[in-house]
Amino acid sequence: MADLPDDRIPVDAVPFAEFDAVRAKLAAAEDEVANYKLRLADFENARKRMLRDADAQRKFAAEGLIRDLLGALDNLERASAAAKAAGDTGPLAVGVSVTASQFLDVLKRYGVARIEAAAGTAFDPNVHQAVSQQPTNDFEPGAVTQVVGTGFTLHDKVLRPAMVVVAAQPPAGGSSE
Amino acid sequence: MADLPDDRIPVDAVPFAEFDAVRAKLAAAEDEVANYKLRLADFENARKRMLRDADAQRKFAAEGLIRDLLGALDNLERASAAAKAAGDTGPLAVGVSVTASQFLDVLKRYGVARIEAAAGTAFDPNVHQAVSQQPTNDFEPGAVTQVVGTGFTLHDKVLRPAMVVVAAQPPAGGSSE
């Protein structure tokens, strides 16, 4: 400060130019802080989104595998039903029936459930798929008359709808042709 | 500026006190910026870690389910082998064999592989579990003589080791008792 060009400036004051330079730096630093605050908020949102996604992903991680395994389960249950229908009570028939149950029990522990679709329940397009209509007086029109394929959900999401036959109004006075 | 108490201060200068206040604000803002930089770096690391974890999680998401299903697959293969041993070539025996293959094919598509453990291969504690030793001259000591339980890996991680019988040196000159 000894060689100040302007001797009007006393020792307890600072030239405007110097003051303005510091003020400009402060403004820049404050901008930077504001910018970092926005970026941190973005990051925080992204982090929350990732945690949420990871949670959903965990829940449905095995969805593809389970969907693909249902075909093997179908075959097992079909084989078991055919053996039962043929009166086969041998060790293989029993083993297949037990294995099919074991298989389904494991899937249940991971969130899989059979879709209830007994004859007489109302057709629900969210969980049933109509494969045909059956003119009948035995059920209300729109009711399920027969389940031809088991449906499954995973944590309440439909993996495969139940395949059902749906009751239709029979033609009045029998066949009209 | 009209009522400046100290008339020694000219209009193109700023009192030290005011200058220092701005400088202190600047220092605080610069600290804040440095602090935000560290936090952002932490966040960035956490984000990378989460992405990496999510990747590993996706790969091994179905590990528990698959491990639990192996029991059902065992039963299926055991039933199929027993039927084959009994000379049963009926539709149920064929169906069970086909279903076991279908089941394993699905698991393979999701990264599951059988652990190779043929008789004669060297015992590998990473993928084999010795259930007993068999004194024999037919195999080198330490070789697998028999596989009694199939092992499986998921993406090269052992889900279940192969259960094997391991060759041991027979007692010199036969039974020594």
Side-chain angles (χ1 to χ4, degrees):
Chain A
M1 300 289 240
D3 55 352
L4 275 174
D6 190 340
D7 59 2
R8 287 178 307 155
I9 298 172
V11 288
D12 61 350
V14 171
F16 261 180
E18 199 176 327
F19 181 68
D20 279 349
V22 173
R23 271 211 302 209
K25 270 193 191 172
L26 174 59
E30 280 172 343
D31 277 357
E32 215 176 342
V33 166
N35 183 25
Y36 273 120
K37 268 186 189 157
L38 289 177
R39 284 176 62 189
L40 265 188
D42 278 353
F43 259 109
E44 183 56 31
N45 285 335
R47 199 180 68 87
K48 281 186 188 149
R49 204 165 43 239
M50 279 174 82
L51 285 175
R52 216 166 35 232
D53 289 355
D55 213 52
Q57 210 177 8
R58 229 188 322 278
K59 227 170 159 184
F60 290 99
E63 182 177 350
L65 170 62
I66 291 172
R67 200 189 294 271
D68 290 354
L69 287 172
L70 292 180
L73 179 61
D74 284 342
N75 283 345
L76 218 52
E77 295 196 321
R78 232 175 267 137
S80 178
K84 208 167 279 174
D88 183 349
T89 55
L92 185 56
V94 173
V96 168
S97 165
V98 168
T99 306
S101 301
Q102 183 186 8
F103 195 102
L104 192 59
D105 283 347
V106 171
L107 292 182
K108 273 181 188 162
R109 285 211 302 276
Y110 288 84
V112 173
R114 254 178 217 276
I115 292 171
E116 296 305 328
T121 58
F123 177 77
D124 177 353
N126 295 312
V127 293
H128 299 150
Q129 187 174 326
V131 292
S132 65
Q133 288 208 325
Q134 182 188 359
T136 176
N137 284 315
D138 297 342
F139 294 99
E140 287 290 307
V144 169
T145 64
Q146 199 189 341
V147 181
V148 292
T150 311
F152 292 95
T153 53
L154 175 61
H155 297 297
D156 296 330
K157 176 180 168 183
V158 175
L159 279 180
R160 192 173 80 180
M163 301 294 165
V164 300
V165 178
V166 179
Q169 191 85 49
S175 172
S176 55
E177 295 279 298
Chain B
M1 305 283 245
D3 56 351
L4 276 177
D6 187 340
D7 59 1
R8 286 179 308 153
I9 296 172
V11 287
D12 60 351
V14 171
F16 261 0
E18 199 176 324
F19 181 66
D20 279 348
V22 174
R23 271 210 303 209
K25 270 193 191 172
L26 174 59
E30 280 172 344
D31 277 357
E32 213 175 343
V33 166
N35 183 26
Y36 272 120
K37 269 186 189 156
L38 287 178
R39 284 176 63 188
L40 264 188
D42 279 353
F43 258 109
E44 183 56 32
N45 285 336
R47 197 180 68 87
K48 281 186 189 150
R49 203 165 43 239
M50 280 174 81
L51 285 175
R52 216 166 35 233
D53 290 355
D55 212 52
Q57 211 176 7
R58 228 187 324 278
K59 226 170 158 183
F60 291 99
E63 184 177 347
L65 169 62
I66 291 172
R67 201 188 293 271
D68 290 353
L69 287 172
L70 291 180
L73 179 60
D74 284 342
N75 283 345
L76 218 52
E77 294 197 322
R78 233 175 266 136
S80 178
K84 209 168 281 174
D88 183 348
T89 54
L92 184 57
V94 173
V96 168
S97 165
V98 168
T99 306
S101 301
Q102 181 188 9
F103 195 102
L104 192 58
D105 283 347
V106 171
L107 292 183
K108 274 182 189 162
R109 285 210 301 277
Y110 287 84
V112 173
R114 252 180 219 275
I115 291 171
E116 295 306 327
T121 58
F123 176 77
D124 178 352
N126 295 311
V127 294
H128 299 151
Q129 186 173 329
V131 292
S132 65
Q133 288 207 324
Q134 183 189 358
T136 177
N137 284 314
D138 298 342
F139 295 98
E140 288 288 307
V144 169
T145 64
Q146 201 188 340
V147 181
V148 293
T150 310
F152 292 95
T153 54
L154 175 62
H155 298 296
D156 296 329
K157 177 181 170 183
V158 174
L159 278 180
R160 192 173 78 181
M163 300 295 164
V164 299
V165 179
V166 179
Q169 192 86 49
S175 172
S176 57
E177 296 278 298

